[in-house]
Amino acid sequence: MPERLAQRLAAPLVDRLAIVGIGLIGSSIARAVRQRGLARHIAIADHDPAAADTARRLGLGDAVGTDAAAAARAADVVILCVPVGACGAVAAAIASALKPGAIVSDVGSVKASVVTQVAPHLPLGVHFVPAHPVAGTENSGPEAGFAGLFLNRWCILTPPEGANPEAVAALRALWEGMGANVEVMTAEHHDLVLAITSHLPHLIAYNIVGTAADLETVTRSEVIKFSAGGFRDFTRIAASDPTMWRDVFLHNKDAVLEMIGRFNEDLAALARAIRWSDGDALFELFTRTRAIRRGIIDLGQETAEPDFGRRHAEAEPE
Amino acid sequence: MPERLAQRLAAPLVDRLAIVGIGLIGSSIARAVRQRGLARHIAIADHDPAAADTARRLGLGDAVGTDAAAAARAADVVILCVPVGACGAVAAAIASALKPGAIVSDVGSVKASVVTQVAPHLPLGVHFVPAHPVAGTENSGPEAGFAGLFLNRWCILTPPEGANPEAVAALRALWEGMGANVEVMTAEHHDLVLAITSHLPHLIAYNIVGTAADLETVTRSEVIKFSAGGFRDFTRIAASDPTMWRDVFLHNKDAVLEMIGRFNEDLAALARAIRWSDGDALFELFTRTRAIRRGIIDLGQETAEPDFGRRHAEAEPE
């Protein structure tokens, strides 16, 4: 694919790309952009010197440092890859370094709050196109990234009203260049959609792992031993980056609380069905939910292999 | 391994094994026992003629039919691999066919209820050793099974007080022969442990998938498209067999309702932390839960690969 893309494109899409924050997402962007020749020059900044050192050692960019403004200076596209709660401060730090016509974007899992935080800092003539690639793993840091992370995943753009169409088109092309499908919606709708497809699942996973850890009648070693009964599935997303997820919940409060409310109502109904031995109600729900997974697999958003295709070191071939 | 085992064992552990119910678990037992030479003769019965036909076509046993009593006749070990709610009826059906000294076991995810259902039907001189292999996938039916399903997974035995020690030892050897680790506990403790490590996770998964399916502000196609943000993880166990899981909840009511209560209390505290922007409380929980996953990986009950080691057909090598 890189070869074919390179043939198709006379020149890189972006002359100078800046990535601020070189964790899982930032480092995956750096790798994908490099692999597919989407930018001529990649500048990377991370306020953590250790992360910057790792990025330098891995050769993720042409210039790597700890100063966000230095990376953003002269950049055509700047992508903020920091926790949602840090976006405002980073925008303030880079504002005066931005060149006219530059495109500023981000990768935050919450969009309305990012707009509120970032927009006021940006000088006139700079284009702001918020984005959210719906992709990730439970791992964090510059070494966790990989170029294929965005392949066939969706990236949602939430350009504010009146956003420059060419800036939106340029960012769309960049994400499509990394293998993503691009969809455009309002920041408010994004925050509602992600509240159910991502934020509530993470909260529920964190919660059930916490509940299990706190039991006094079942030991922690029993929870770990017998986790293959289902529990271990939840521990994956409950191992995600704590700072990132703290910020997501604090910055998408209303939508998350609304989804918790609905989840609670439904769980109360299920608990009642169990208490009153309403097997038909249970069977009806358990049958209905199968169709959703089928849809996800059919859309290529999930593997069709049983058990996520988990491999176990101990398993011998049959 | 089959070769080494065959050398170690002068003769198969079991002369005649009967498996009643040839779904995911029953067919995995048939395959594991056959592969490792653990029984001289395997008789299979399934009340569904289509399942029996499939088992016959796959060559899973030496004799395959629809009559549980016929399969159980002359068997040294009979394993009931049917939904928990069907155990009593199957025990009644096979009781008069059982030979003196036979061992009856099961694979149900609930144990106290199985004891209550099965024990009264068994004639004197027959040994009852309930068992639960904590292993599975979201798939069902005779074709879903595989010989390696129990490798390095735990199998819990819950022999009633006064159970025959040789019968317990024989069943332990059979499960260890299939590659499982065996643990012994009371039926009551089992039901509490599994309520948190398996039953509650399944209920929560079914519930969140149902909540998402019922939203009117977010379309079902949006839920499917953007499921890679976390939601899709939950759809796997929410695709498990509806009959099996209906029975689990109806037969482990008290422990499941107790765990729902604890889960709800913890979720209420989390919702409150979000509402009042208590970022420290969120961060503390999100950090604590990481250790549990680490423990599960260290014990070999989970892959260390990110994202469960999911493979995507679309992903190209870097």
Side-chain angles (χ1 to χ4, degrees), chain A residues 183 222 225 253 277 310, chain B residues 183 189 225 253 277 302:
Chain A
E183 182 125 337
E222 286 175 320
K225 261 181 172 172
K253 197 177 283 196
S277 298
R310 272 186 179 109
Chain B
E183 182 125 338
H189 189 63
K225 260 180 171 172
K253 195 176 285 196
S277 298
E302 176 63 289

Side-chain angles (χ1 to χ4, degrees), chain B residues 4 12 25 27 80 83 92 114 129 140 170 202 212 219 221 267 296 299:
Chain B
R4 274 187 286 133
I25 301 295
S27 70
L80 313 183
V114 168
V129 186
S140 316
H202 276 77
T219 67
S221 105
L267 186 59
I296 294 174
L299 205 68

Side-chain angles (χ1 to χ4, degrees), chain B residues 232-285:
Chain B
R232 62 176 176 163
D233 281 24
F234 291 72
T235 63
R236 186 184 80 78
I237 58 180
S240 302
D241 185 60
T243 305
M244 173 192 159
W245 283 97
R246 177 199 62 198
D247 284 6
V248 166
F249 295 117
L250 297 181
H251 288 268
N252 197 22
K253 195 176 285 196
D254 293 346
V256 169
L257 289 173
E258 163 71 17
M259 294 304 170
I260 293 175
R262 287 168 179 266
F263 174 89
N264 273 335
E265 285 168 29
D266 294 344
L267 186 59
L270 263 184
R272 194 169 191 283
I274 292 172
R275 191 177 296 281
W276 293 94
S277 298
D278 184 354
D280 291 345
L282 299 178
F283 188 83
E284 188 274 325
L285 173 67

Side-chain angles (χ1 to χ4, degrees), chain B residues 126-311:
Chain B
V126 165
H127 307 295
F128 182 37
V129 186
H132 176 207
V134 184
T137 77
E138 68 274 29
N139 292 350
S140 316
E143 300 193 275
F146 53 99
L149 180 61
F150 310 113
L151 277 173
N152 201 29
R153 292 285 91 84
W154 258 268
C155 181
I156 302 174
L157 308 187
T158 64
E161 230 177 308
N164 180 287
E166 283 100 62
V168 176
L171 202 67
R172 172 191 283 271
L174 184 61
W175 278 106
E176 287 177 348
M178 288 189 271
N181 308 315
V182 171
E183 182 125 338
V184 174
M185 61 180 71
T186 66
E188 290 65 32
H189 189 63
H190 167 279
D191 289 356
L192 209 56
V193 171
L194 271 289
I196 187 66
T197 61
S198 178
H199 307 171
L200 183 64
H202 276 77
L203 193 73
I204 292 306
Y206 279 122
N207 191 62
I208 196 171
V209 176
T211 302
D214 290 344
L215 290 174
E216 67 288 345
T217 48
V218 177
T219 67
R220 186 174 292 215
S221 105
E222 287 175 320
V223 166
I224 289 173
K225 260 180 171 172
F226 306 120
S227 61
F231 179 75
R232 62 176 176 163
D233 281 24
F234 291 72
T235 63
R236 186 184 80 78
I237 58 180
S240 302
D241 185 60
T243 305
M244 173 192 159
W245 283 97
R246 177 199 62 198
D247 284 6
V248 166
F249 295 117
L250 297 181
H251 288 268
N252 197 22
K253 195 176 285 196
D254 293 346
V256 169
L257 289 173
E258 163 71 17
M259 294 304 170
I260 293 175
R262 287 168 179 266
F263 174 89
N264 273 335
E265 285 168 29
D266 294 344
L267 186 59
L270 263 184
R272 194 169 191 283
I274 292 172
R275 191 177 296 281
W276 293 94
S277 298
D278 184 354
D280 291 345
L282 299 178
F283 188 83
E284 188 274 325
L285 173 67
F286 300 172
T287 306
R288 201 153 56 87
T289 49
R290 281 191 148 176
I292 299 258
R293 183 167 180 83
R294 180 42 53 199
I296 294 174
I297 291 170
D298 290 347
L299 205 68
Q301 296 302 301
E302 176 63 289
T303 173
E305 291 179 80
D307 207 18
F308 303 122
R310 271 186 181 110
R311 278 158 291 198

Side-chain angles (χ1 to χ4, degrees), chain A residues 132-135 150-156 175 179-184 299-301, chain B residues 221 224-228:
Chain A
H132 175 206
V134 184
F150 310 113
L151 277 174
N152 200 30
R153 293 284 92 87
W154 257 267
C155 181
I156 302 173
W175 278 106
N181 308 314
V182 170
E183 182 125 337
V184 175
L299 205 70
Q301 296 303 301
Chain B
S221 105
I224 289 173
K225 260 180 171 172
F226 306 120
S227 61

Side-chain angles (χ1 to χ4, degrees), chain A residues 23-26 47 80-87 106-111 113-114 117 131-141 144 149-150 190 194 197-203 206 236-253 256, chain B residues 228-230 274 279 282-287 290:
Chain A
L24 169 67
I25 301 295
H47 75 297
L80 314 183
C81 304
V82 299
V84 165
C87 281
D106 75 313
V107 297
S109 302
V110 181
K111 296 270 64 85
S113 164
V114 167
Q117 289 180 67
H132 175 206
V134 184
T137 77
E138 67 275 29
N139 291 350
S140 316
L149 181 61
F150 310 113
H190 168 279
L194 272 289
T197 61
S198 178
H199 307 171
L200 183 63
H202 275 79
L203 193 72
Y206 280 122
R236 186 185 79 78
I237 60 180
S240 302
D241 185 61
T243 304
M244 171 192 160
W245 283 97
R246 176 199 62 198
D247 283 6
V248 166
F249 295 117
L250 296 181
H251 290 267
N252 196 23
K253 197 177 283 196
V256 169
Chain B
I274 292 172
L282 299 178
F283 188 83
E284 188 274 325
L285 173 67
F286 300 172
T287 306
R290 281 191 148 176

Side-chain angles (χ1 to χ4, degrees), chain A residues 3 5 15 23 65 69 124 140 186 196 210 248 289 293 296 298 302 304:
Chain A
E3 291 68 29
L5 255 181
D15 190 44
L124 215 66
S140 316
T186 66
I196 186 67
V248 166
T289 49
R293 182 166 181 83
I296 294 174
D298 290 347
E302 175 62 289

